[in-house]
Structure formats: C-alpha cells, structure tokens
Amino acid sequence: MQSRREVQREQNRGSALRTIRNILLTILILLLVGWSVYAVANQPRAAARRQTVTMAEKYAHLHSPGHFYIFNRESTYYTITGRNQSNQPILVIVPQHGGNIRVVKQSSGVTEKQVRAQTKANRKPAQILKVAPGIFNDKVVWEVTYRSKKGKLSYDLINFKTGRYVQNINNL
C-alpha cells in the first residue's frame, strides 16, 4: 500500500508532465499558425515573381534570376535582375497588366548601391525602407522610400541613366 506522500508525488509528477506537454503543444500550434499566415500573405508576391521570371526568361533571355522588385506609381511594374546571354547584368521590367517589357543593361545607369549612397548623402534619412526600379513618365527610374529623421515617410524618384532627381515627395 502506498503512503499518502507517494500518491501526491505521482499526482504532482503527472500534472507537471501534462503542463509541459500543453506548453509544447501551444508553441507548436503558434508556430504553425504563424507560418501559415506568412505563407498566405507572401503568396501574391511569390506568384508575381514566378510570372516575372518566366516572362523575362522567354522574352529577354534572362539567365540566373536575382533580386525581385515591385514598383507602384502610375502603374505597377515588376523587375527582376539577372544576366543576359552575353553574361551582362540586366534589369527586366515587366508591367503588371501587360505592355512592353523593358530590358536595361545595369551598366547603362546608376546602381542600387549608388542610389542608396546618394540618398544617404543628400537626404540624410533615418532609415531607407525600399529601393526599387520602375517606369515613371516613360523613363526608367529608381524609387527610394525612406523615413526622415523626424519619422516622416518620403519618396524620391531618381533617373536611372543620369542619377538626377525626377520627383521628391517629402514628409507624409
């Protein structure tokens, strides 16, 4: 026959194991829910990237796709970086709703790195949020989205070929 203490120890041990099991189960469920939310939220971007890569490979003979960008202004454009048949770095800019696909040699304009440096030097932002190539007024531009030191949202459009500012929208 077990003493009262032994019975209590067994009950406490079983209770502790149930608590640990419930905590682990809760963590697992939270991870699965978080992953599911991320996957569903990222699905449109992933689909746009796949479609852009397919079109760039077909029409621009893109090899080794790299960075993917989304540009939203007058229209939405998807851009994929990569290399052409001559192994030159290129940007392939695809309109979201059909139209002409533009292929631009990266060597014919300013780079993302140069645009970031220019923005840091001229605007002195607290944080650069996004840099993306696109089309504005039928010209290839870089859109730079950043937060000013006052925390205000700002946008700059920089001409791809010249590096000059095309448009500034400050303190939103």
Side-chain angles (χ1 to χ4, degrees), residues 1-41:
M1 189 169 216
Q2 291 181 323
S3 71
R4 188 173 183 182
R5 283 187 184 169
E6 290 173 351
V7 170
Q8 279 183 329
R9 281 186 201 141
E10 285 181 24
Q11 287 176 345
N12 288 343
R13 199 174 307 137
S15 176
L17 290 174
R18 279 191 299 276
T19 302
I20 290 171
R21 183 193 69 207
N22 289 341
I23 289 171
L24 290 174
L25 192 59
T26 302
I27 290 171
L28 180 63
I29 289 171
L30 288 173
L31 286 172
L32 287 172
V33 168
W35 179 81
S36 298
V37 167
Y38 174 78
V40 167

Side-chain angles (χ1 to χ4, degrees), residues 33-115:
V33 168
W35 179 81
S36 298
V37 167
Y38 174 78
V40 167
N42 198 39
Q43 193 278 331
R45 180 181 175 86
R49 185 183 198 287
R50 279 191 306 274
Q51 183 180 9
T52 302
V53 168
T54 300
M55 293 179 77
E57 288 171 344
K58 182 177 180 180
Y59 297 109
H61 307 291
L62 177 81
H63 297 286
S64 55
H67 289 97
F68 176 70
Y69 303 93
I70 299 175
F71 175 90
N72 292 304
R73 274 298 171 108
E74 297 165 332
S75 299
T76 299
Y77 293 91
Y78 302 127
T79 302
I80 191 82
T81 64
R83 297 191 171 272
N84 62 13
Q85 291 174 322
S86 304
N87 206 31
Q88 298 169 321
I90 58 171
L91 299 171
V92 181
I93 304 170
V94 180
Q96 179 185 26
H97 296 296
N100 294 331
I101 295 174
R102 294 206 190 188
V103 180
V104 181
K105 289 182 184 176
Q106 289 184 27
S107 61
S108 68
V110 293
T111 65
E112 178 180 351
K113 189 175 181 179
Q114 290 169 323
V115 167

